Amino acid sequence: SIKVALTEQNVKDIVLKEIPQAQFITTHLDRDDGLQKYKISFYTSNTTGVYKINPENGMILEREIKFIENPIINQIPQNTVQNIVQIPSIQTPSASIGSDMISMEQAKQIALSKAPNAIIWEIKIDTEDGRLIYEGEMKEGYIEYEFEIDAATGVILEWDIDIDD
């Protein structure tokens, strides 16, 4: 049987590393297929989610994060929820990626600073002309934004606005 080596606080810290603004709803040890795992549910201003974490070694077994289109506390209509697909971390040449790069969280904040009520649907790191960029899409009602942000400087390189009717 699994030794529970981690406390609830330990597993919350694991979630907070990935989602610094997480507010926890429940944290409990669960038995799933005969295995024990911590199940942690949380929300942020625009997401809800559940992490399942191995209580022995802290490994994240499962992440489910849903974006909320129009956040209404305690009332999340199921049809406005979109699942995020887990993308394995991208291997980039170590020379180009480093501490002189802005984080994905910072890139999101930069994009949201131009459209504070929009919801980010997608953001990923990419290379363009040999430099790393964050590219993504956001929505606010019928308005769709597409953006590219320089990963080294945080400068918005591209900002497109479309009306989706």
Side-chain angles (χ1 to χ4, degrees), residues 113-124:
S113 71
K114 284 189 64 103
N117 298 321
I119 302 295
I120 294 178
W121 284 99
E122 184 186 350
I123 186 165
K124 62 182 189 228

Side-chain angles (χ1 to χ4, degrees), residues 90-158:
I90 298 159
Q91 295 305 310
T92 46
S94 55
S96 62
I97 195 163
S99 56
D100 54 331
M101 197 180 112
I102 66 166
S103 71
M104 187 171 285
E105 201 50 52
Q106 288 169 304
K108 288 179 185 177
Q109 295 309 318
I110 291 165
L112 287 169
S113 71
K114 284 189 64 103
N117 298 321
I119 302 295
I120 294 178
W121 284 99
E122 184 186 350
I123 186 165
K124 62 182 189 228
I125 195 155
D126 205 355
T127 47
E128 196 167 277
D129 305 325
R131 72 173 165 189
L132 286 170
I133 59 161
Y134 287 103
E135 66 179 31
E137 289 176 34
M138 308 192 306
K139 285 190 171 137
E140 182 180 344
Y142 293 109
I143 306 166
E144 284 183 9
Y145 303 94
E146 286 185 19
F147 59 87
E148 288 182 6
I149 296 171
D150 187 309
T153 63
V155 171
I156 295 174
L157 304 170
E158 202 173 289

